[in-house]
Amino acid sequence: MIELRTPAEIEEMRPAGRFVAEVLTRLSAEAAVGVNLLELDAIAHQMIRDRGAVSSYIDYHPSFGASPFGKVLCTSVNDAVLHGLPFDYRLRDGDLLSLDFAVAVDGWVSDSAVSIIVGRERPEDRRLIDVTSAALDAGIQAATTGSKVGDISAAISAVATAAGYSINTDFGGHGVGRTMHGDPHVPNDGRAGRGFPLRPGLVIAVEPWFLETTDEIYTDRDGWTLRSADGSRGAHMEHTIAITDDGPIVLTARG
């Protein structure tokens, strides 16, 4: 079911968005050569406890997950692009790291993701991240009252295809509210003018993710982490936004 939020409810959602942004900013600064993925998860876990927030991940067990997730943060490294389950791995120079984080604050959820390069950059990784970020910006700009979900999808895919990246539509954006995942689904490829109409009060996560040379993925043996079929690297960007008559509000904007 698709729910529309009142202006007052959108204001109530702002603290969750600010907290998610704060955590991702902190983790991006902490992610350095030699830092363990489990250390990043522990930092996020402590920040959740200190804030009195509730993790949207730790007990999450959808049909595509092998078991409850068990961690509070997704850490996807290099050929991993989504749902990366933190494990005993120390970041290396040149790693491409995607961080995805969602919590509830006072009953309202926000969800966001960012990709960064640890240490020295590979030009191919910088381009992939920049294109994914540009696709996120384009999707948000298309999220205006009177448009359709397909307009967001088309804006994202236009950026990706112009850069030569193919698009997987198995996973994409989604509604956000009292729970992390709700309707409508917001695919990263679609036709402009199609789909659910964007109305004031609709809160969604816009979530482009691309792989360098494929759109095929498989699930790692951990039962969660999604990796590219050909070993190429991936990038993932996401913001939770609210549709208003005055344009989209990015609830998870960082700095």
Side-chain angles (χ1 to χ4, degrees):
M1 182 175 70
I2 297 173
E3 298 183 87
L4 301 179
R5 305 301 175 186
T6 66
E9 287 176 323
I10 291 173
E11 288 302 309
E12 291 173 2
M13 297 181 81
R14 286 183 183 271
R18 286 195 296 266
F19 178 65
V20 167
E22 175 188 344
V23 172
L24 287 178
T25 298
R26 167 80 182 278
L27 295 175
S28 296
E30 295 282 353
V33 175
V35 172
N36 197 301
L37 298 181
L38 296 176
E39 294 177 76
L40 296 178
D41 184 73
I43 291 170
H45 209 151
Q46 186 61 54
M47 292 180 75
I48 289 171
R49 286 193 292 264
D50 291 345
R51 181 61 176 80
V54 177
S55 172
S56 297
Y57 289 168
I58 197 162
D59 295 323
Y60 187 51
H61 190 189
S63 59
F64 56 80
S67 61
F69 191 71
K71 305 294 181 184
V72 301
L73 176 70
C74 291
T75 54
S76 301
V77 181
N78 297 334
D79 65 316
V81 67
L82 295 175
H83 308 162
L85 185 64
F87 66 105
D88 185 11
Y89 175 84
R90 294 194 176 276
L91 292 167
R92 300 170 183 170
D93 193 27
D95 277 347
L96 197 168
L97 171 66
S98 297
L99 302 167
D100 193 358
F101 183 70
V103 296
V105 174
D106 299 326
W108 294 107
V109 173
S110 267
D111 188 6
S112 187
V114 63
S115 290
I116 62 172
I117 298 169
V118 179
R120 289 174 291 184
E121 295 187 356
R122 297 167 72 241
E124 306 95 313
D125 293 342
R126 173 48 54 196
R127 180 175 185 268
L128 180 60
I129 290 174
D130 288 347
V131 170
T132 310
S133 180
L136 174 60
D137 290 343
I140 293 171
Q141 290 170 13
T144 57
T145 299
S147 298
K148 302 287 184 67
V149 165
D151 293 305
I152 298 174
S153 303
I156 290 171
S157 64
V159 173
T161 55
Y165 299 131
S166 56
I167 301 167
N168 179 296
T169 56
D170 291 345
F171 297 92
H174 48 87
V176 181
R178 293 294 188 181
T179 59
M180 177 172 57
H181 288 149
D183 294 327
H185 176 57
V186 186
N188 291 322
D189 191 16
R191 295 180 62 181
R194 299 291 185 90
F196 186 79
L198 303 181
R199 300 171 181 163
L202 181 66
V203 180
I204 56 175
V206 179
E207 189 170 2
W209 60 276
F210 309 128
L211 298 163
E212 190 174 7
T213 57
T214 185
D215 58 15
E216 297 293 325
I217 55 176
Y218 72 95
T219 304
D220 187 270
R221 286 178 296 176
D222 65 15
W224 275 100
T225 304
L226 297 180
R227 298 184 180 276
S228 68
D230 64 358
S232 63
R233 295 183 173 201
H236 177 202
M237 297 286 190
E238 178 183 18
H239 274 311
T240 297
I241 69 170
I243 309 298
T244 76
D245 283 327
D246 297 322
I249 299 172
V250 181
L251 296 172
T252 51
R254 294 181 292 274

